[in-house]
Amino acid sequence: MSNHVRSLRVKNLSGCDVPGCQEESYKMMNSYLYMLEQVNPGTKTCVKLDEGSKFKYLFVALGACIEGFAVMRKVIVVDATWLKNGYGGALVFVKAQDPNRHAYPLAFELLDRENDASWTWFFEMLKSVIPDSSELVFMSDRNRILISAIVNMFPQAHHGHCLWHLKKNVKGHACSVKKDIVGHRFMELSRYYTEAEFNSAYDSFKISYPSAYKYVEEHTEKAKWARVFFPRDRYNINTSNIVESMKNVLKEATRWALIPMLDYIIGKISDWFNQRRKDAVAGSIDSKLVPLVENYLHELWPVAQKLRVQELDSYAFEYEITDTEGKMFLASLVGKSCTCKVWDYENFPCLRGLAAYINFTTNVGRRLHIHELGSEYYWSELWAVAYSRTLYVVSDSSSWNVPDYIKEVKIMPPDRIAREGKKRVRS
């Protein structure tokens, strides 16, 4: 269904034109959410009202998305955008990233405002569909209230700072130099794979940009932003850009009445699922690895073939590899590791690991599939599983079959509130 056709349908959903009929949308919300759960099994929705039955918060996690997250890398990005529908409040997005680096929506919420109570409620709801785990990593800006809620609700999880937000603060503290260059150099610092490389670059950063260095030292924790010090696997994800893209897509819809906006969001997610299901199924037929990793290894293959490889341990399958610059590295096929640390952090073979693999398959004669040397999160068959279910939008209200006890719940619109700024760490 095209966006144009859908926009006409959502205008008729509550019998009114977008972006009006706000009050009608709140009245119909409980019935709409009931129907959403009916057409999408496993979906969890929850509405919180105040003492006067006025709307406060709404949580939606589509069943297909939560089910698919089970085979995804466990890095979650959280961010919010302001609603412009006359009542204020925030629309919060929770997204992961699929192994082919597409944004993967997990849940979203409407808050009357961002404070301790709203963020705590949100993460309570999220925990009901995504259990706490030491494998979980949350990426967000440095909103103290949000971070506190994550720590309280997900004590086993780890938290990283969005590099894009942090870079802006670092640039702001640079003096007598081009700020964009300072921002670029800081982003480079975050991506080093070994402590030796990081320390060398960090010393250079200190000499070249002393005021920015002072800010980084005094106001940040390296373990929150630098790859080499981060305690868990965050793969390639170090910003909230996958959520920023969602904001841009839904920019106009944030002006609409509540139900048309929800309907548009779910319709967009449904479209993404349908398209990526086709890509994932095709990929699982063509290769054992997702296209992103398959293409990466294909490009490295001719270079890896030319590297000098010496077997060190035929039982542990350890190899010494000399690269084109004459530097030596140790790679282990059993440990899925290399002293360059690229393999260790990305969780698929690096150039040296690929050279070791080529040597093994050529000289040992034992068959070993390349996909076995990477995380299963990059296997194309699991990529297909993540998009296996179809997502459905709610039909026109004329076809709804809603029990009376659902329809009888009265939801009043919230008080119109002024827009508030986010509470962030003061720079």
Side-chain angles (χ1 to χ4, degrees):
M1 182 185 300
S2 70
N3 291 338
H4 174 66
V5 173
R6 181 178 294 115
S7 68
L8 295 178
R9 185 179 68 77
V10 296
K11 288 182 181 182
N12 292 328
L13 186 61
S14 56
C16 59
D17 285 339
V18 171
C21 295
Q22 299 281 8
E23 292 75 12
E24 188 67 17
S25 267
Y26 287 104
K27 290 178 183 178
M28 297 180 66
M29 186 193 306
N30 217 41
S31 295
Y32 176 86
L33 296 177
Y34 173 84
M35 291 305 303
L36 180 64
E37 292 182 357
Q38 298 307 300
V39 298
N40 293 292
T43 293
K44 181 179 180 63
T45 68
C46 188
V47 179
K48 184 174 179 62
L49 310 178
D50 68 10
E51 305 79 22
S53 296
K54 292 181 179 180
F55 174 87
K56 284 184 70 66
Y57 319 135
L58 165 66
F59 176 85
V60 176
L62 297 169
C65 299
I66 298 304
E67 184 178 306
F69 183 63
V71 296
M72 289 282 180
R73 297 171 300 170
K74 300 302 182 284
V75 183
I76 297 174
V77 179
V78 183
D79 205 357
T81 188
W82 289 103
L83 295 177
K84 302 172 184 177
N85 59 10
Y87 285 99
L91 173 61
V92 180
F93 301 108
V94 180
K95 300 181 85 173
Q97 187 186 71
D98 79 11
N100 213 42
R101 297 192 181 176
H102 292 129
Y104 190 89
L106 295 176
F108 57 92
E109 181 182 39
L110 299 177
L111 306 176
D112 60 351
R113 64 192 70 208
E114 292 187 72
N115 54 30
D116 287 313
S118 64
W119 278 119
T120 297
W121 187 86
F122 171 71
F123 284 106
E124 284 178 350
M125 293 296 101
L126 187 64
K127 190 174 182 178
S128 69
V129 294
I130 299 178
D132 187 19
S133 165
S134 61
E135 191 181 6
L136 279 180
V137 171
F138 286 90
M139 299 293 297
S140 74
D141 65 16
R142 296 191 299 162
N143 183 326
R144 283 198 184 100
I145 300 174
L146 183 155
I147 293 171
S148 176
I150 292 174
V151 170
N152 290 333
M153 292 297 109
F154 291 88
Q156 296 183 62
H158 297 268
H159 182 262
H161 293 153
C162 168
L163 264 293
W164 187 81
H165 289 93
L166 190 53
K167 179 183 73 172
K168 291 195 296 184
N169 287 346
V170 174
K171 287 169 60 177
H173 287 79
C175 300
S176 304
V177 292
K178 287 188 176 295
K179 294 182 181 293
D180 287 341
I181 295 177
V182 177
H184 175 73
R185 289 288 303 278
F186 175 73
M187 293 292 281
E188 285 183 332
L189 285 173
S190 72
R191 299 186 179 113
Y192 285 107
Y193 289 96
T194 68
E195 287 191 38
E197 291 175 320
F198 176 88
N199 290 334
S200 175
Y202 198 48
D203 288 342
S204 176
F205 188 85
K206 175 182 179 179
I207 294 170
S208 301
Y209 317 111
S211 57
Y213 169 84
K214 185 174 185 293
Y215 170 79
V216 173
E217 275 289 290
E218 296 178 355
H219 297 279
T220 75
E221 301 173 60
K222 295 185 186 71
K224 300 292 187 183
W225 59 266
R227 191 203 306 268
V228 293
F229 300 113
F230 199 77
R232 298 299 300 177
D233 290 333
R234 73 179 194 194
Y235 305 88
N236 62 294
I237 306 170
N238 56 21
T239 73
S240 59
N241 286 347
I242 58 175
V243 171
E244 292 293 330
S245 63
M246 187 83 168
K247 289 183 185 180
N248 293 331
V249 170
L250 302 176
K251 184 177 181 179
E252 183 60 30
T254 59
R255 303 177 183 274
W256 296 359
L258 186 59
I259 289 180
M261 182 182 69
L262 294 176
D263 207 28
Y264 184 79
I265 292 172
I266 295 162
K268 277 293 184 185
I269 296 174
S270 176
D271 288 346
W272 293 333
F273 257 62
N274 289 337
Q275 180 56 53
R276 290 167 189 167
R277 184 185 306 111
K278 297 175 185 176
D279 296 339
V281 170
S284 65
I285 295 173
D286 297 336
S287 171
K288 293 286 188 179
L289 292 166
V290 297
L292 181 82
V293 178
E294 179 75 15
N295 294 336
Y296 168 81
L297 296 177
H298 179 75
E299 291 176 3
L300 289 185
W301 194 279
V303 180
Q305 284 181 308
K306 298 176 182 178
L307 299 185
R308 187 174 69 83
V309 180
Q310 180 180 347
E311 183 182 83
L312 298 180
D313 189 326
S314 59
Y315 293 98
F317 303 119
E318 292 181 345
Y319 297 84
E320 180 184 86
I321 300 96
T322 305
D323 70 8
T324 55
E325 298 178 355
K327 297 179 181 178
M328 288 190 298
F329 299 86
L330 300 180
S332 168
L333 298 184
V334 173
K336 301 178 184 178
S337 175
C338 179
T339 51
C340 74
K341 295 301 181 181
V342 174
W343 193 350
D344 303 61
Y345 285 110
E346 299 291 354
N347 284 286
F348 51 77
C350 60
L351 173 64
R352 295 91 185 176
L354 185 58
Y357 169 77
I358 293 171
N359 181 279
F360 172 83
T361 55
T362 302
N363 298 324
V364 177
R366 177 179 164 186
R367 186 167 178 78
L368 177 67
H369 293 288
I370 189 70
H371 75 282
E372 298 177 67
L373 297 180
S375 167
E376 64 180 20
Y377 290 139
Y378 291 107
W379 294 1
S380 56
E381 60 183 353
L382 293 185
W383 182 38
V385 168
Y387 292 103
S388 60
R389 285 183 52 184
T390 301
L391 276 166
Y392 298 95
V393 294
V394 176
S395 61
D396 186 86
S397 57
S398 62
S399 64
W400 293 359
N401 183 16
V402 181
D404 289 340
Y405 75 91
I406 296 292
K407 292 189 287 188
E408 288 169 359
V409 175
K410 304 296 182 183
I411 300 179
M412 303 294 292
D415 295 329
R416 294 180 180 271
I417 58 176
R419 171 172 170 168
E420 297 180 352
K422 284 189 179 181
K423 295 179 176 65
R424 301 181 186 273
V425 171
R426 294 186 180 278
S427 303

